[in-house]
Amino acid sequence: MRDLIARWRGESVVTAYDEPSDTWMFIALHDTTLGPAMGGVRMRVYPVIEDALIDAMRLAEGMTYKWATIGFGFGGGKGVLAVRAIPTGDERIRLFRRFGRLVESLRGGYSCGPDLGTTPEDMATISLETTHVHGVRGEGRETVDPGPFTALGVFSGIKAALRHIDGSDALDGKTVLVEGVGDVGAPLARMLGAANARVVIADLDAARAQALAEEIGGETVSADRVIGTVCDVYAPCAVGATVNATTIPLLQCRIVAGSANNQLFEPADADRLHARGVLYAPDYVINAGGATALPLLEMEDPSEEDVRGRIRGFDAILTEIFEEASRDACSPLEAAHRRVERRLRGDD
Ligand code: PHE
């Protein structure tokens, strides 16, 4: 872990070991140029603790880019709870209260919200200990689920990608493979189904995939056959790094556009996709719907329609990115990074 921290180009990593549950807690603070760090808290069982630290660091970096892209005054941070087993009941509540106290100890230097493996209800638990938590509103602790907002951004991004390649964003008859139908993938699949796309669903939980496919009139493919399935759009909506040097040569899609954070194993994968002629919608742009909705919905008198309008605007941001990439013959990730660099330097 010493080497990982020494090599990291972020600001700091807060580390706590939670003895009662044998959980390692990491809060990675990547870049606070634009404001205090804000980002979700993820809970997972990791094969080794180092993987959890790497996840926290890479996810925090993604948040820096996300905030800069959507023009919000927050810095990049992310929390990770590396648990032994997914806790339930009282055990879960106690764990999140202790994490809430850790967040509180930073006095606003980091604020959290839901991410993979954590729920709006967990945020309500955290809010018993700190106000530096998002997705919980008012005294009644009404929760806000960012998932459908993230899904809306991905839906708009898929249309932008189709339009860039085909000149039309009609989803009718287009095949979209949604990998992972959790809090984001499920609402995305529903929107795609309603737009008459042919939706193919994969999930580690085969029963969950089947039930959703039946609901929306879609199809399923087993989770281990996602790569290699022929489709127009591959939408990774689960864990990251599914797009890598091994999988890219096997992809049978024209577009990669989904909600997962860190879809690429490494930045060079963006060039590999580009070389294969697969259009990649940079993850931190297309999946910024939740990050857009959470702070806006906390403001006084938020209008959900305004928030949705802003998220639909990702279409225009991505279109600009795709056009800049075409013009400069670079990958869309490179074009998106340039925008972020301009923002962080204050040139934009
Ligand atoms: N975890 C989600 C994301 O990465 C939603 C979220 C955004 C949660 C910002 C907290 C803060 O975008």
Side-chain angles (χ1 to χ4, degrees), residues 38-42 59 63 66-67 77-78 110-116 118 123 134 146-147 150 259 261 287-292 294-295:
M38 170 169 166
V41 50
R42 170 170 292 201
L59 290 163
M63 286 310 300
K66 202 177 293 191
W67 294 126
K78 204 90 180 188
Y110 164 71
S111 58
C112 67
D115 193 68
L116 198 134
T118 61
M123 300 308 119
H134 305 275
T150 307
S259 71
N261 281 310
N287 76 11
T292 302
L294 285 178

Side-chain angles (χ1 to χ4, degrees), residues 60-132:
E61 187 174 348
M63 286 310 300
T64 299
Y65 300 155
K66 202 177 293 191
W67 294 126
T69 300
I70 57 180
F72 280 49
F74 294 109
K78 204 90 180 188
V80 166
L81 299 181
V83 288
R84 287 273 159 202
I86 301 299
T88 54
D90 272 3
E91 209 188 311
R92 185 167 181 128
I93 289 174
R94 283 196 295 270
L95 176 66
F96 279 100
R97 287 193 81 141
R98 292 191 296 269
F99 179 72
R101 289 201 280 278
L102 179 65
V103 172
E104 176 59 19
S105 74
L106 303 176
R107 298 292 188 270
Y110 164 71
S111 58
C112 67
D115 193 68
L116 198 134
T118 61
T119 64
E121 289 67 44
D122 297 328
M123 300 308 119
T125 305
I126 292 173
S127 78
L128 300 171
E129 302 290 346
T130 182
T131 55
H132 304 297

